[in-house]
Structure formats: structure tokens, C-alpha cells
Amino acid sequence: MKKALAAAAVLAAGLIAQPVAAETTLRITLQLPIKSHLGQNLEAFEQEVEAASNGELQVEIYPAAQLYKDSEVPQAVSSGAIEMGVASITRFAGTIPAVDIFYVPFMFTNEDMVRKAVAPDSPIRSALDDAILDTGARVLWWQAYGGAIMLSKGGPLKTPADIKNKKVRVFGKTLGEFVTATGGVPVLTSGSEQYVAYQRGTVDAGMTGVSGVQSRKLWQVMDTITVTNHADVEFLVLINEEFWQGLPAEQQEIIATAARKVEADLRDKMAKIESDAFAAAKAEGMGVYVPTAEEMAAWREASAPVVEQYKAAAGELGAKLVMEAEKLQQ
């Protein structure tokens, strides 16, 4: 009788433990600060996933290269050392040279072309996502970073003559070939290390997306932006494929749905992000120079050989992607 009364009391008080669903944690490594637009995009993903899963899926973001540098992310995710990571698409160029299609100079000349190329069902994106999956990392979504701009001290880089023999920070092989073709000396430098490179004079000039000038406070170490838009900078959010396959179907759907939403949101905001970043750079005292049509023609002419270099390195897949990109130019 005493046991029955005790059990009844526990029931009445609601103290009988109920089974709790085990949490699954998604750790994401990011090389940029959390206040960058890529960091904010990851936080939006975190909110979507945790709300839709009722907390069964937890997202932890490690920004500013706390865990891995950009160059280390593909291996870290592919090996399962971390569940998720963000890396510049060019970080796969060592195993998949064709990914550098977006860094072939002036291959994508406007936002409409970029949007068509990076659409989930486009021949260009589909082929690259499939190739990357073979490395053990699945692409969940693409993060827009905008057009590549040039950074310098003491004045703009109006034509290739202005970078002749200068050391230029680059973040990929094809961008290095662009610098070589236009007369400079490329220096491969991780995004998290470029501030110090500019500060110490390890490089004389550099390139990045304009939003990076703001998030990394590059106005403190460089004084001029030249708006060449010679490449389209894209980042990828990756998840380890073995980890992904081990998730229940309903959790995969939650993650995939959130990925599609935040990808579209960021792409739609990119024009304003860039506009705000240019304004912020000017407010900090940086000069912003837009080359004339004649000056841009000089950049295009000098860098033209890079297209053939890319096709030679990227093989059959690269040739296919160039053909698809040229269709978008028509």
C-alpha cells in the first residue's frame, strides 16, 4: 500500500522522467568573423534548424578560423574531423581544378550570369557539387561573397601596368595565374592571414570581396579599392557525407530546407551588402576607383590567356563548364 501511495504521489507531481530525444550537434568551422555576412548567414541557418527540429539538432559555429584555416576545411570535413565547414570554392582546386571556373577572369560579367551559374539545377553547379561529393563532403549550400576587387596602397591599380612586379595576395591558383598574366607576382595567402600580410608588407597589393574589407577592417592597412570585378567569389557550406547519411531522413530534410532558405536570402541581399561595404570603406577614408572602359579592356586583354590555362588544367569537366558559361554570355 505504501509503495502504491508513493507511486501515486510521484505521478501527481509529474516527476516521472520522460524519455528525451538525444541531441545531434552540427559544428561548423568558419574562417571569417561571426559579424561577416557569411557568419550572419550561418546564424540564420542555426536558428532555422534548431527551431524546426525542436532543439534535437544543435548548431555550434566556430568563426575566425578558431579551428581550421580556410585551406584546411575541405580535408577536415571530408575526414569527419568536424561535421560542417565553410570554404572558398577554390580550396577544392587541388583535386578538382574545374571548380576555378568562377575565378577565370571575366568569365561571369554580371549578377544575372552568376545567378544562373550557381542555381541548384544549373549544369555548372550540379557538375561541381557532384564532383565535390566524391571527396566525402556534401555541398549543402553556396554562400555569395560578391565580385573580386583589388586592394592597394598609394593609389588605384588602373591597369596591369600598376601591378607590374608587385607581390599580390591571391586565394587560389587561377587567381594567381591572373596576376602572373597581368605582370604581378602572386602570393597565396589565407583570408585570415591577409591583414597581417598587408600590415607587414609581405604583399604590395591584394584581392578579396569588398565585404571582407569591412569585416576584416582592411581599411586599416590598405587605402584604395579598385573595382575590377574580375572574378565571382563563392564559398561553400559543406557537411561530412558519412555523417549526413547517418542522419534520419526527417533531420536531413530540416537541414536541407534551412540551407535552401538561407542561401536564397543571402543571394538576394548581396547587392546591398556590397553597396554598404563600399560606403563603409569610403567612410573609413579609403578611395574607391572604378576603371574606365579602356582600362578594363587592358585588364581583359592581358588576362585572356588564363582561359586556355584553366581548360588545360581542368580537363574535360573544365571545358564543359567553359562551354556552359559561354552560353550564359550570349
Side-chain angles (χ1 to χ4, degrees):
M1 179 64 70
K2 288 181 180 180
K3 288 182 180 180
L5 289 173
V10 170
L11 282 169
L15 297 178
I16 290 183
Q18 297 296 318
V20 178
E23 290 182 0
T24 297
T25 301
L26 306 174
R27 296 172 301 154
I28 310 177
T29 179
L30 171 70
Q31 62 143 321
L32 286 147
I34 196 64
K35 290 184 178 180
S36 69
H37 74 268
L38 297 194
Q40 297 298 296
N41 187 240
L42 292 182
E43 287 193 326
F45 171 77
E46 175 183 7
Q47 293 167 9
E48 292 283 337
V49 166
E50 292 184 355
S53 69
N54 295 316
E56 290 182 19
L57 289 169
Q58 292 291 309
V59 178
E60 295 178 357
I61 305 168
Y62 296 86
Q66 292 178 39
L67 300 183
Y68 301 98
K69 296 178 182 177
D70 185 46
S71 59
E72 299 169 334
V73 173
Q75 175 60 27
V77 175
S78 296
S79 68
I82 192 167
E83 293 79 28
M84 294 179 62
V86 179
S88 169
I89 191 172
T90 193
R91 291 307 180 186
F92 284 93
T95 52
I96 311 168
V99 298
D100 264 4
I101 184 68
F102 290 93
Y103 296 159
V104 173
F106 309 108
M107 181 62 67
F108 301 97
T109 55
N110 57 60
E111 184 182 358
D112 183 59
M113 285 184 63
V114 171
R115 281 180 172 270
K116 289 177 179 177
V118 303
D121 58 350
S122 82
I124 293 174
R125 174 166 170 176
S126 298
L128 293 178
D129 283 356
D130 288 346
I132 291 170
L133 184 59
D134 289 339
T135 71
R138 172 180 292 267
V139 178
L140 282 179
W141 78 95
W142 289 44
Q143 289 183 310
Y145 202 71
I149 51 93
M150 303 290 288
L151 294 171
S152 56
K153 288 182 182 178
L157 305 173
K158 296 182 178 182
T159 68
D162 292 324
I163 67 166
K164 186 174 176 60
N165 298 325
K166 288 185 177 179
K167 292 176 290 184
V168 182
R169 179 260 169 168
V170 300
F171 49 95
K173 179 178 180 291
T174 301
L175 291 174
E177 290 171 348
F178 166 75
V179 169
T180 300
T182 53
V185 180
V187 180
L188 189 62
T189 309
S190 175
S192 58
E193 297 173 339
Q194 65 177 314
Y195 183 101
V196 173
Y198 298 140
Q199 184 180 52
R200 294 178 178 175
T202 305
V203 294
D204 307 303
M207 62 180 74
T208 186
V210 67
S211 65
V213 175
Q214 184 177 13
S215 64
R216 296 188 185 280
K217 300 182 178 180
L218 299 181
W219 45 264
Q220 295 178 345
V221 288
M222 302 298 266
D223 61 30
T224 308
I225 294 171
T226 302
V227 189
T228 49
N229 284 332
H230 55 280
D232 170 53
V233 186
E234 298 287 337
F235 281 76
L236 305 177
V237 183
L238 310 160
I239 189 167
N240 174 266
E241 177 63 7
E242 185 175 347
F243 176 81
W244 171 261
Q245 293 299 337
L247 293 172
E250 59 269 24
Q251 291 188 348
Q252 289 182 350
E253 182 56 30
I254 287 171
I255 293 169
T257 299
R260 288 191 296 269
K261 183 177 188 302
V262 299
E263 175 174 352
D265 288 347
L266 177 55
R267 190 72 58 179
D268 289 342
K269 293 175 181 175
M270 200 60 231
K272 186 177 188 307
I273 289 171
E274 288 191 296
S275 176
D276 290 348
F278 277 118
K282 290 179 180 179
E284 295 294 349
M286 292 192 82
V288 176
Y289 182 77
V290 179
T292 66
E294 292 77 13
E295 289 165 347
M296 286 305 301
W299 283 109
R300 289 172 180 271
E301 182 180 359
S303 61
V306 179
V307 178
E308 294 305 317
Q309 291 174 327
Y310 164 79
K311 289 198 290 188
E316 184 178 346
L317 178 56
K320 173 187 174 183
L321 298 187
V322 169
M323 181 182 68
E324 294 294 340
E326 288 175 343
K327 289 180 183 177
L328 299 178
Q329 296 172 353
Q330 299 170 1

